[in-house]
Amino acid sequence: MHRSFLSMNHILSLIAACLLLQSSCCHALATNAKQPKTYNYFAFGSNMASSTMINLRNITPLASSAAILPSHALRFNIPGMPGVEPSSAAVEPVDVKEQIAEDEVVHGVLYKLSESDFATICQTEGVPLAYSLHRCRVVPFVGDGNTAGQDAMDRALSMETSDSTTLTNDNLKTKEQSTSKKWGVPAFTLRAARKEWRQGKDTSPSQSYLNVLIRGAKEFALDESYLRKLENTSVGKTWIGNGLAEEMLLAAERRNR
């Protein structure tokens, strides 16, 4: 009986040790597991409105912030359906020799997305046929509907300029490469996929499409000057009301209530 009791205790101890080892291994695997991949995506068109992302694209952003993209221009060079939605927005790099002018920056929204949601963006935006992915650096800011974006960009770029003034001939190239990546946040955005679209003339968008851009600009309190720029953009002719973009978004919102 005494020997059986000892054997049972020994067995129970072995089981407890195995369970403890299994728990430790699981914890180690969970700790060392690869972190989910995320993407920074800079939206400048209808995706600026969070409702477009959530209700129309079925995307749940992990984070969002107003942001500004220097040395780029807002273009309406993605051809759409004439008389319905004549064009969509894109960004295009511009050659800035000195001080960046107002028409050489793009205001928008920086979204942090899961890998699957970023794939959805690429799919719904027509990458790579309509758009191509474009790597860029943006400056996030807290919108105030005044000049917060311009102020944030000026601060970021002034830091780069002050660093570059300390360069010597020996470390010029290395220092420039390092300071050029100090400001802002790396992100993906979208530009026209075809060379002829990039180099051609813009096509005025519908008022409906512009209304969605304006809605997003107001939601994230982008700079007043940029909001006025959107409001003063010339619109194209449409056969059905002001276009369909805004109505499609409203329909998606009603469906998801």
Side-chain angles (χ1 to χ4, degrees):
M1 176 71 72
H2 181 65
R3 187 175 298 174
S4 298
F5 179 73
L6 288 177
S7 298
M8 182 61 67
N9 268 351
H10 185 62
I11 292 171
L12 291 174
S13 297
L14 285 174
I15 293 173
C18 289
L19 290 174
L20 180 62
L21 180 61
Q22 182 185 37
S23 176
S24 299
C25 290
C26 289
H27 178 72
L29 287 172
T31 302
N32 296 327
K34 186 178 179 182
Q35 293 296 321
K37 194 169 185 179
T38 60
Y39 291 82
N40 291 329
Y41 163 63
F42 177 72
F44 48 81
S46 60
N47 286 341
M48 286 196 296
S50 62
S51 183
T52 300
M53 299 288 278
I54 297 168
N55 292 300
L56 201 59
R57 312 271 189 235
N58 293 318
I59 286 173
T60 304
L62 303 174
S64 58
S65 168
I68 188 168
L69 172 63
S71 305
H72 287 72
L74 180 68
R75 301 282 304 277
F76 294 96
N77 58 358
I78 307 297
M81 186 178 296
V84 182
E85 287 297 341
S87 66
S88 297
V91 298
E92 192 63 29
V94 293
D95 183 20
V96 178
K97 294 182 174 60
E98 296 180 2
Q99 186 174 358
I100 299 176
E102 280 191 6
D103 59 348
E104 293 167 341
V105 297
V106 179
H107 294 238
V109 179
L110 178 64
Y111 290 106
K112 183 178 181 181
L113 302 177
S114 68
E115 189 168 14
S116 61
D117 280 348
F118 183 70
T120 298
I121 284 291
C122 294
Q123 180 182 8
T124 57
E125 295 294 342
V127 176
L129 299 178
Y131 289 99
S132 61
L133 289 175
H134 176 60
R135 292 180 182 270
C136 62
R137 295 189 74 85
V138 299
V139 181
F141 65 94
V142 178
D144 64 357
N146 193 8
T147 62
Q150 184 67 43
D151 295 342
M153 184 184 71
D154 290 344
R155 285 193 301 270
L157 296 183
S158 66
M159 289 174 58
E160 179 185 6
T161 302
S162 63
D163 284 343
S164 64
T165 59
T166 63
L167 303 180
T168 64
N169 290 333
D170 293 334
N171 66 0
L172 179 61
K173 184 175 181 180
T174 303
K175 189 70 175 179
E176 279 185 341
Q177 289 173 342
S178 62
T179 56
S180 66
K181 294 185 178 180
K182 279 186 177 180
W183 63 268
V185 175
F188 286 99
T189 191
L190 301 171
R191 66 185 298 198
R194 298 186 184 181
K195 185 177 180 180
E196 58 265 31
W197 295 350
R198 298 175 185 176
Q199 297 178 345
K201 294 182 179 180
D202 286 9
T203 300
S204 296
S206 73
Q207 183 63 62
S208 181
Y209 180 73
L210 273 176
N211 287 347
V212 181
L213 272 66
I214 292 168
R215 174 176 170 174
K218 289 181 177 179
E219 178 183 353
F220 285 89
L222 302 186
D223 285 10
E224 182 181 12
S225 61
Y226 195 78
L227 176 60
R228 297 292 170 260
K229 174 183 176 179
L230 293 178
E231 291 175 336
N232 293 328
T233 299
S234 61
V235 298
K237 293 182 179 180
T238 51
W239 301 328
I240 306 174
N242 291 325
L244 296 180
E246 191 173 24
E247 286 302 321
M248 289 175 63
L249 177 55
L250 294 175
E253 290 173 339
R254 288 191 294 268
R255 185 174 61 249
N256 293 331
R257 281 177 186 168

